[in-house]
Amino acid sequence: MADGSDEDKRVIPGPRPAARLGNLKDIKPKAHLSWTEWCAEYGPVCRVDLGPLGDSVLLGNFDVIRKAFEDNSDAFSARFVLPIAEKDGTRGTMTWENNEVFDKRRELLTTVMKQVDIEKLARNEATAICEVLNKNKDSSSDLVYRLMEEANLNMISTFCFRREQRCPYDDPNFCELKKRIGEMNKKLKNLMAEPANLFPVLWVFYFGFRRARKNLRCLVGKELETHKETLDATSVRDLMDGYLTKAGGIEFPAEECLANIMNLMGATITLKNTFQWLLLLITKHPEVQTKIQDEVTSVFGDDTPTMANVDKLPYTNATIYETLRFACPATQFVPHATQADAKFEGYDIKKDTVVFANIWGPHRDAKYWDEPEKFNPDRFLDSEGKLDLNKESYIPFGLGKRRCPGETYAKNAMFIFLANIYQRYGFQAVAGETLPDVADGVINIGLHNPPPYNLKIVVR
Ligand code: HEM
């Protein structure tokens, strides 16, 4: 039995591993539930044996995640490159790379995000969403659920390679892109738990995935050729232009531009999931829906909602922040790795150890949140009804060097979509059907999303 001395603390506690497979068989499909249970039992720094991948370290509360990713950022900011990502080719992708030009790649993205009018992209998309809702105003189906996927994909592809000109949803180019992405995602259900991560020889059986990815690369590659032919170096209107004009300060090979764009289309699935959670949770709480509608109407009337008035809609914003806490779309994070030997919380952690951060834990930590299991946007408002973001234990976009570079893009899109939609529409559960709860969430491509649901559209 450990007596708490420094000597005893050197072995990181964790669930007992089985021979060969370690704790792999004990990890639930919703890994964050296992992480939360283990951290409650063994403490906020736990060891989880990943069998062929070796020991990993699991960080389970805000304090240790902040210490690792912010205070010890140099040691904890590498990415653990999943074997499946490595096979697929990580070169050039922001999510998976750990090299000396990583900062430049991030700089390129953030520079282009400042040059492109993200708000306009979101507004155009929101207008298109409202047109579809209007044409289908008698619908009681999964239309809204599907529409959020299309809108998200359309917005990121417009940002990446359509020079601010979105495609209509029925445009053959958009339909083909959607088909290609769908084919690829269907073949890769759970990024982390794919068998080829544990036994890389199984990669030979991922033929369908490789073919789908090649098709997508070919499609995006054609856009790059068109960009090269029509480049106007004085005006960067999308990420491809940014690559071609060296907006990050250095030149990246064309192949890396394609890889990063395909990677970004994956990274934004978190935003699609958040849209789907938002509409679901708002519909499940009619009083929240009414407050959002009233707020949007009182500020904008019939005028088009813009970011200029974002501060005047505290309740709408509070609902977005509460959804990110409560549904935790990025719950499993992409794993980090140590890039040097580290001494952390009294433990010796070796270089190249996989590090998981469980944001589900901090977002439901009763030490920081009253009734954490309750969906309650009011917790993000102060006593005067103003937005209060001064919260600890709240890290939906991560922390430190690997913090999400799409945060502003995502916040703009969420606000503009919600304000535009609820200005004119509301939603109800379909008679006789029960809407899913957050407990019904599923893990898809390593992210937490609601299962498909139907909604009845209500015109205001
Ligand atoms: C509500 C929507 C979103 C949420 C909750 C979210 C959350 C996160 C989280 C938690 C991480 C991991 C941070 C870490 O490992 O320390 C991440 C990484 C990342 N996100 Fe997002 N994200 C969202 C939307 C977006 C969007 C819209 C984009 C792009 C336009 C984006 C691009 C990325 C990229 C490229 C990374 C990897 C960064 C790196 O490895 O350095 N995300 N995101």
Side-chain angles (χ1 to χ4, degrees):
M1 189 68 170
D3 65 9
S5 69
D6 276 357
E7 209 43 47
D8 292 326
K9 278 182 84 181
R10 294 172 78 87
V11 179
I12 305 180
R16 184 189 291 270
R20 292 173 53 161
L21 286 181
N23 302 115
L24 285 174
K25 276 171 55 185
D26 308 324
I27 302 176
K28 297 180 175 164
K30 294 189 208 176
H32 56 275
L33 300 181
S34 301
W35 299 161
T36 307
E37 278 166 23
W38 287 335
C39 289
E41 191 171 347
Y42 302 104
V45 183
C46 281
R47 174 195 38 76
V48 179
D49 183 333
L50 301 178
L53 296 179
D55 272 350
S56 68
V57 171
L58 169 60
L59 305 174
N61 72 18
F62 175 65
D63 195 38
V64 291
I65 297 175
R66 188 188 49 71
K67 278 188 191 151
F69 292 176
E70 273 190 354
D71 301 350
N72 290 289
S73 171
D74 284 342
F76 284 89
S77 292
R79 270 287 173 230
F80 169 65
V81 181
L82 293 172
I84 190 167
E86 193 159 10
K87 291 269 178 205
D88 186 34
T90 52
R91 197 172 165 74
T93 63
M94 195 176 307
T95 308
W96 297 109
E97 271 200 340
N98 299 308
N99 59 24
E100 63 291 351
V101 292
F102 169 74
D103 288 347
K104 290 281 169 202
R105 219 181 286 291
R106 245 182 121 96
E107 198 178 319
L108 168 62
L109 180 67
T110 41
T111 306
V112 175
M113 278 180 171
K114 282 182 200 140
Q115 291 176 1
V116 171
D117 188 345
I118 306 278
E119 182 184 345
K120 188 174 113 196
L121 301 193
R123 263 202 322 269
N124 291 346
E125 214 52 60
T127 305
I129 292 172
C130 290
E131 277 166 16
V132 176
L133 293 178
N134 196 39
K135 277 192 201 140
N136 296 275
K137 40 184 178 251
D138 300 324
S139 163
S140 290
S141 70
D142 64 350
L143 171 82
V144 173
Y145 185 90
R146 285 184 287 113
L147 192 54
M148 289 303 111
E149 181 159 7
E150 296 195 325
N152 183 56
L153 175 60
N154 214 352
M155 185 167 157
I156 190 65
S157 48
T158 308
F159 169 75
C160 285
F161 52 76
R162 294 207 197 285
R163 291 195 173 146
E164 298 187 0
Q165 300 301 315
R166 69 176 292 282
C167 263
Y169 293 127
D170 54 1
D171 182 287
N173 286 325
F174 180 68
C175 294
E176 195 187 350
L177 180 71
K178 199 172 70 171
K179 184 170 154 218
R180 298 293 175 217
I181 300 246
E183 281 167 0
M184 217 177 75
N185 291 348
K186 206 163 65 191
K187 307 273 183 227
L188 197 69
K189 277 280 164 218
N190 192 334
L191 194 62
M192 281 298 297
E194 285 297 325
N197 279 329
L198 305 171
F199 308 104
V201 292
L202 296 178
W203 181 243
V204 289
F205 296 110
Y206 284 65
F207 172 74
F209 172 74
R210 289 205 301 273
R211 192 183 48 201
R213 186 151 175 98
K214 200 170 147 202
N215 287 340
L216 179 60
R217 188 177 291 251
C218 189
L219 193 74
V220 183
K222 281 189 203 151
E223 301 289 347
L224 185 61
E225 289 315 308
T226 316
H227 271 61
K228 282 183 191 159
E229 285 158 18
T230 55
L231 183 69
D232 169 4
T234 59
S235 139
V236 171
R237 284 169 295 165
D238 62 20
L239 192 57
M240 265 184 191
D241 278 354
Y243 268 91
L244 294 172
T245 55
K246 302 181 206 157
I250 61 171
E251 183 162 11
F252 291 106
E255 197 46 33
E256 295 194 11
C257 166
L258 298 186
N260 199 25
I261 283 179
M262 285 164 62
N263 180 242
L264 270 185
M265 289 198 276
T268 52
I269 293 177
T270 330
L271 181 55
K272 179 231 42 147
N273 292 348
T274 312
F275 289 142
Q276 291 171 333
W277 281 118
L278 268 166
L279 295 178
L280 172 64
L281 290 167
I282 294 171
T283 309
K284 281 176 78 74
H285 297 86
E287 71 291 356
V288 173
Q289 174 161 282
T290 307
K291 282 190 194 171
I292 292 176
Q293 289 173 325
D294 290 349
E295 192 176 67
V296 172
T297 303
S298 73
V299 174
F300 295 111
D302 289 334
D303 296 343
T304 305
T306 64
M307 291 304 289
N309 287 329
V310 61
D311 294 342
K312 295 191 181 143
L313 288 91
Y315 193 81
T316 306
N317 283 303
T319 307
I320 292 172
Y321 288 104
E322 173 66 345
T323 298
L324 289 169
R325 181 198 73 83
F326 185 69
C328 215
T331 175
Q332 302 199 356
F333 262 48
V334 189
H336 285 219
T338 44
Q339 50 196 6
D341 287 351
K343 186 96 180 155
F344 186 70
E345 298 291 277
Y347 302 120
D348 291 314
I349 301 177
K350 287 207 163 12
K351 180 175 181 290
D352 295 329
T353 302
V354 182
V355 179
F356 294 105
N358 176 29
I359 25 179
W360 188 264
H363 282 192
R364 279 182 156 59
D365 189 338
K367 194 173 136 197
Y368 296 92
W369 306 100
D370 282 340
E371 299 186 277
E373 298 300 330
K374 203 172 150 195
F375 178 74
N376 176 17
D378 286 331
R379 68 175 85 243
F380 284 95
L381 297 177
D382 66 13
S383 55
E384 291 170 7
K386 293 200 182 111
L387 192 64
D388 175 10
L389 294 180
N390 192 15
K391 303 281 174 204
E392 285 190 299
S393 211
Y394 184 63
I395 43 173
F397 293 97
L399 281 172
K401 279 191 186 160
R402 290 282 179 171
R403 187 182 179 119
C404 176
E407 184 171 344
T408 306
Y409 173 114
K411 286 180 177 166
N412 282 351
M414 288 187 282
F415 177 78
I416 294 288
F417 278 28
L418 277 204
N420 275 276
I421 292 173
Y422 286 99
Q423 185 179 43
R424 282 174 259 175
Y425 303 96
F427 305 97
Q428 285 174 0
V430 176
E433 291 183 15
T434 308
L435 288 170
D437 280 320
V438 85
D440 302 313
V442 290
I443 299 297
N444 216 341
I445 324 191
L447 297 164
H448 190 218
N449 77 310
Y453 52 79
N454 298 323
L455 292 183
K456 181 175 177 341
I457 300 169
V458 183
V459 181
R460 292 184 66 195

